[in-house]
Amino acid sequence: MAGFDPYSPCPCGSGEKFKWCCQKVESYVEKADRLYEGNQIEAALDALAEGLRKHPENALLVLRKASIELREDRVASAAETLRTYLVIRPHHFQSRMLLARAVLDLEGPVSASAHLQNALGLAEGDDRIRLAGLYDTVAYIFGRMGNVLAAFRHFEQARQLEPNEPREDGSPRTNVIRDLMTSPEIPIYAKSEYRLSPTPDGLPTDLASRFDEALSWAESGSWNVAASAFEALSADGAGSAADRNLGLLRVWVGDTKGAIPALRRAVSGMGETIEAVDLEALRQLLEPEWSPQTLDEVQLTWPLRNREALLDKLRSQADVVDEGPGPIDPGDEKSPEVQHFLVLDRPNPKPAPGWEPNGADLPRVVFTAFVGKDIAGINTVDDKDLSLHIDRFTALAVPAVPPAHPKTKIIGRTNRAQIDLSPRRYIPDGLEDLVVERIQRAESSRLISEVWTKLESNHFDGKSPLEASKRGGSRTALRAAAMIFESSYDLGWSRERADEFRKSLGLEPEPTIDPTVIPLREVNLVRYSYVEIDKLTTRELLEYYLTARTRGLRAATAAACARLIDDAGAREELGVPLSRLYADLAGIAAAEGDRSRSLELLASGRASLPSDASISSTMAWEILEIRLKSRVMDPTEWVPDLATVIERYQDDPEASQGLILGLVGLGLIHMTPEPDSPDRMLVDTRPLRALLTKYGPRITTSSGVLGVSATKSGVWTPDSETSGKTTPGGIWTPGSTKPAEGEKPKLYIPGR
């Protein structure tokens, strides 16, 4: 750097002027900066180390050294530099913050969260805003790891630290939260907000005072300190509220193992209440369901005498499926390639038109086989059926392989319960995607009813659910498990199907919730479909609808849409367009694989659009239609409609930007910053091009351009040139004009 203003705040973070703080080490810092800019990394670090030998307490030297080490990916060295300094000055905020960043790379988000809390306790003024970005990063990594509750809590802390940060859709933080909230892969219980329990009435004065203090620590973001306080309160008899708070705080910081016993104690002290059931469901999602007893996954190999003879033999079998070539070890980039086969328990069926089998009609994959250049073998599990698998393969393989004892290699471990609950069914080619989805949902439902109920589980003290239901005493745990299954999108259970399952376990249906008794804000998300929505006020109905919609609660969203469709007055008061309600219902039907229902609702939504709707609104609806049709229709049916939409709006300045964003949302074009102008975006249309080329309209113009109609304007494709537009290199921007010679086409999107 050029130099320091002696009267500006010192960059070490002391708050003093540079002249009276770190000016004495200025020469070391400037020398290190010059060397680093000249790519003399070691010399720059040596210069800073020399300064630290003379001034070991100087924060500026430490920060410069750690920053260079982090930039050069020497994370362990940076952490050691910072830890050494924090022994001398444990309350230095910038060192604490930088250490949190280093620890995130070294040890992961749990450790980083603890260091962030330490830094937060030292932060003042703008320091708190500086921490918001790190909380966002830790939250994102928690989310990627599947620890959604910890992710949400860290995102919320970032919001509190940076209250003026824009919250509208489109900000990185909002986008990540939205994706987590709407993902069907994340259980609804993990999307719910769990507030800490207030100080219980009736506690002795000293315990109540300590409880209040622990809550204040939690409110300030010192979650680990608060957890320690609640742990002590639990030991001193503060009851289930202390255990509940302890468990939630440990979930927030990613300490799943520590949260489980605290939540178990809390549930045991709450009785068979709705709150206890929902907390137990959260505990079950955190705790492994089965004991760690595992089986070896083994790979057995034999030397190969005649490769072609074995390939011909396997391919001739009605109960063997050729899966094609691939590495023998998918996790090893240098793994040799082999030919893979699936060995089934019965012949592979040939689908006839209109055939819709159930899971039991489909063959099960017994084991997999492979044929390499010099070896052949099988992958299977070392259980009671292992010798049967060996005998079956050798019966097929001899004389292409010698009848010798195979070479055995352990390639992994698996749980017996997982094998029982995941019988691998082979789905033959020719079945429609929607048929396959229905088969998979039905098979999952069957496995829960017929297999899961008979498996011994940690959630029921080592008993199977059926045994637990007969012995009594496990009703809260059984109700929680039933609620988890009911809220799983993959199962597609109706309320009636869920109640039948409960009945098989000796349980009654879950109670409905009266919002005049239990406020909507206190209702767990998983129970939204149990809310008596006819008792909601108009404003509460809007809150209910928006929450259900943004959290991906299908049943609740459908119920809210149905009520609003029937209540024109409420729609008008709340400003909810009728078309949006039909679009929501069409999306739910598409996600559930109901093609005819989805298309019927789309037609109703289009009919509900006002006659004076703007071009951009109409285009947005048509893109939505394409998105939903792509879920329930073959590409040959919906891609021509997409081509029509592109042709209709590509020349319209009002709709062109919305068209681009709609195609981005469909994953058909990709946007990347232009290297020379990061504020401008280049649009890669190759996925769209491939789709239109394969499935688009087959009418061509005299110039050879694919089109909906044989007109010169045609339908745009990346290699075409229509209406003065050009698309060199597969980059195109709707509404753009032909660029000047040597100029790249660009799309400028304000705010991006």
Side-chain angles (χ1 to χ4, degrees):
M1 60 188 297
F4 297 91
D5 180 349
Y7 297 102
S8 64
C10 186
C12 78
S14 65
E16 299 181 19
K17 302 297 183 184
F18 177 72
K19 182 177 179 64
W20 292 285
C21 187
C22 291
Q23 191 175 44
K24 59 189 174 185
V25 300
E26 182 176 10
S27 60
Y28 298 105
V29 175
E30 289 189 338
K31 179 181 179 181
D33 286 349
R34 286 194 304 272
L35 291 168
Y36 186 70
E37 289 171 3
N39 203 33
Q40 299 182 58
I41 313 301
E42 298 301 333
L45 291 173
D46 287 344
L48 293 168
E50 180 186 355
L52 282 170
R53 282 193 291 272
K54 295 182 179 180
H55 306 281
E57 80 295 342
N58 187 266
L60 183 57
L61 293 172
V62 169
L63 293 175
R64 273 295 199 277
K65 185 172 185 288
S67 295
I68 291 176
E69 288 168 333
L70 285 174
R71 284 182 219 158
E72 297 303 314
D73 202 25
R74 304 180 186 185
V75 185
S77 295
E80 181 61 27
T81 296
L82 294 164
R83 286 191 171 107
T84 300
Y85 181 69
L86 285 168
V87 171
I88 302 172
R89 290 185 60 187
H91 302 298
H92 188 251
F93 167 76
Q94 290 193 43
S95 296
R96 286 284 177 194
M97 184 178 72
L98 209 56
L99 180 58
R101 176 66 187 86
V103 166
L104 180 60
D105 286 347
L106 285 175
E107 303 172 17
V110 175
S111 294
S113 175
H115 285 283
L116 275 179
Q117 292 170 56
N118 290 335
L120 182 60
L122 301 171
E124 297 179 357
D126 290 344
D127 288 344
R128 296 175 62 84
I129 297 177
R130 296 173 64 189
L131 282 175
L134 261 179
Y135 269 95
D136 272 338
T137 303
V138 171
Y140 176 75
I141 295 175
F142 268 129
R144 288 286 300 273
M145 294 172 58
N147 195 332
V148 183
L149 287 170
F152 288 153
R153 180 53 54 179
H154 283 75
F155 274 129
E156 181 57 35
Q157 185 65 53
R159 275 183 174 170
Q160 293 179 18
L161 293 172
E162 196 175 12
N164 296 325
E165 190 261 348
R167 299 189 184 186
E168 68 275 5
D169 288 344
S171 69
R173 184 183 303 157
T174 305
N175 286 341
V176 173
I177 295 173
R178 180 202 61 212
D179 291 345
L180 290 172
M181 281 294 190
T182 57
S183 171
E185 304 298 322
I186 297 173
I188 297 176
Y189 273 110
K191 300 177 184 179
S192 300
E193 182 179 2
Y194 295 88
R195 298 181 180 89
L196 297 182
S197 297
T199 304
D201 296 332
L203 277 184
T205 303
D206 62 326
L207 292 183
S209 176
R210 289 166 55 194
F211 208 107
D212 290 340
E213 185 179 37
L215 287 173
S216 68
W217 281 328
E219 178 66 24
S220 70
S222 298
W223 302 325
N224 282 325
V225 175
S228 297
F230 281 120
E231 185 171 25
L233 282 164
S234 172
D236 291 342
S240 60
D243 285 318
R244 181 181 181 277
N245 289 353
L246 171 60
L248 291 178
L249 285 163
R250 284 182 169 162
V251 170
W252 293 356
V253 299
D255 181 13
T256 300
K257 185 176 180 180
I260 291 169
L263 294 176
R264 184 184 293 111
R265 293 194 302 270
V267 169
S268 67
M270 295 167 69
E272 194 187 331
T273 62
I274 287 178
E275 185 182 17
V277 170
D278 292 342
L279 196 65
E280 168 64 13
L282 176 61
R283 185 192 70 80
Q284 290 185 17
L285 289 170
L286 298 175
E287 183 177 36
E289 187 166 1
W290 297 288
S291 63
Q293 296 176 355
T294 56
L295 300 170
D296 288 333
E297 295 175 334
V298 294
Q299 184 176 89
L300 309 177
T301 56
W302 290 261
L304 184 57
R305 291 172 172 171
N306 190 330
R307 185 175 192 272
E308 293 304 320
L310 180 54
L311 290 173
D312 291 342
K313 183 69 176 293
L314 291 172
R315 287 166 177 160
S316 69
Q317 305 300 306
D319 54 3
V320 177
V321 177
D322 188 344
E323 284 282 273
I328 190 172
D329 180 2
D332 183 358
E333 295 180 357
K334 299 180 180 179
S335 177
E337 188 173 88
V338 297
Q339 196 75 13
H340 291 277
F341 295 87
L342 304 179
V343 181
L344 311 178
D345 67 347
R346 73 192 84 165
N348 179 22
K350 305 297 181 184
W355 181 55
E356 185 166 335
N358 58 42
D361 295 328
L362 298 176
R364 183 172 59 86
V365 178
V366 180
F367 58 86
T368 62
F370 56 88
V371 179
K373 182 179 179 181
D374 302 312
I375 59 170
I378 64 174
N379 293 328
T380 186
V381 176
D382 188 0
D383 63 3
K384 59 183 178 58
D385 295 326
L386 178 61
S387 59
L388 297 176
H389 299 167
I390 294 174
D391 291 345
R392 183 171 176 188
F393 179 73
T394 54
L396 288 169
V398 173
V401 300
H405 190 74
K407 180 180 178 181
T408 303
K409 176 183 177 182
I410 297 176
I411 58 176
R413 297 183 70 83
T414 188
N415 189 284
R416 177 79 261 175
Q418 291 286 9
I419 295 174
D420 293 339
L421 281 171
S422 306
R424 189 176 174 189
R425 298 285 181 182
Y426 180 71
I427 299 176
D429 294 335
L431 290 179
E432 293 185 5
D433 290 343
L434 294 179
V435 172
V436 173
E437 289 177 13
R438 286 194 287 268
I439 292 172
Q440 291 171 336
R441 282 197 293 268
E443 180 70 356
S444 295
S445 180
R446 182 190 70 80
L447 289 169
I448 290 170
S449 298
E450 299 178 11
V451 179
W452 176 83
T453 54
K454 300 173 184 177
L455 293 175
E456 295 178 352
S457 169
N458 292 333
H459 297 166
F460 310 108
D461 298 323
K463 309 298 182 197
S464 73
L466 281 177
E467 290 175 326
S469 68
K470 293 173 183 176
R471 292 176 178 234
S474 299
R475 287 176 54 84
T476 297
L478 290 168
R479 286 175 62 187
M483 286 296 291
I484 292 172
F485 289 139
E486 182 182 340
S487 62
S488 173
Y489 293 146
D490 293 337
L491 301 180
W493 280 8
S494 63
R495 178 70 60 80
E496 293 74 18
R497 172 72 184 87
D499 288 343
E500 288 176 8
F501 177 70
R502 290 188 177 89
K503 186 177 180 181
S504 72
L505 295 175
L507 303 174
E508 300 80 21
E510 288 293 309
T512 59
I513 295 176
D514 184 345
T516 64
V517 177
I518 301 177
L520 190 60
R521 64 180 180 277
E522 297 180 10
V523 177
N524 191 293
L525 290 179
V526 81
R527 293 186 182 271
Y528 254 49
S529 62
Y530 285 85
V531 172
E532 300 172 15
I533 62 173
D534 290 340
K535 295 182 179 180
L536 294 172
T537 66
T538 302
R539 287 294 161 186
E540 288 173 336
L541 178 60
L542 178 63
E543 177 189 349
Y544 179 92
Y545 165 66
L546 293 177
T547 299
R549 188 173 186 265
T550 56
R551 288 340 187 233
L553 312 181
R554 291 179 186 166
T557 301
C561 288
R563 179 177 165 186
L564 286 167
I565 286 173
D566 291 338
D567 192 339
R571 287 201 314 275
E572 182 175 353
E573 180 181 344
L574 299 175
V576 180
L578 187 57
S579 58
R580 178 195 289 182
L581 302 173
Y582 281 117
D584 287 341
L585 291 174
I588 292 170
E592 294 175 351
D594 192 338
R595 167 178 171 155
S596 59
R597 172 74 173 153
S598 181
L599 296 178
E600 175 187 330
L601 289 163
L602 279 175
S604 297
R606 177 176 279 275
S608 71
L609 288 173
S611 57
D612 60 348
S614 66
I615 290 177
S616 58
S617 296
T618 304
M619 185 275 301
W621 176 264
E622 293 185 3
I623 288 290
L624 173 65
E625 285 184 325
I626 296 296
R627 181 191 298 276
L628 295 181
K629 285 179 179 178
S630 69
R631 297 185 187 178
V632 297
M633 298 171 69
D634 187 88
T636 57
E637 298 179 87
W638 64 267
V639 174
D641 292 343
L642 172 63
T644 303
V645 171
I646 292 174
E647 181 180 36
R648 180 178 298 130
Y649 296 108
Q650 65 176 1
D651 293 327
D652 192 297
E654 180 183 348
S656 62
Q657 182 168 305
L659 178 60
I660 273 258
L661 297 179
L663 293 172
V664 170
L666 286 167
L668 297 179
I669 62 177
H670 301 149
M671 300 175 63
T672 55
E674 185 185 0
D676 298 333
S677 302
D679 61 328
R680 293 179 179 268
M681 305 298 289
L682 293 178
V683 184
D684 182 356
T685 62
R686 284 171 290 188
L688 177 62
R689 172 186 179 182
L691 195 71
L692 288 175
T693 301
K694 186 172 183 178
Y695 299 109
R698 297 305 173 192
I699 300 173
T700 55
T701 69
S702 58
S703 62
V705 178
L706 281 173
V708 177
S709 59
T711 63
K712 187 174 181 180
S713 61
V715 169
W716 167 84
T717 59
D719 284 339
S720 68
E721 191 170 323
T722 63
S723 303
K725 297 177 179 60
T726 186
T727 58
I731 303 296
W732 166 74
T733 56
S736 65
T737 57
K738 185 172 182 177
E741 184 176 354
E743 180 184 351
K744 298 177 182 178
K746 306 177 182 71
L747 170 68
Y748 176 69
I749 299 181
R752 287 179 173 255

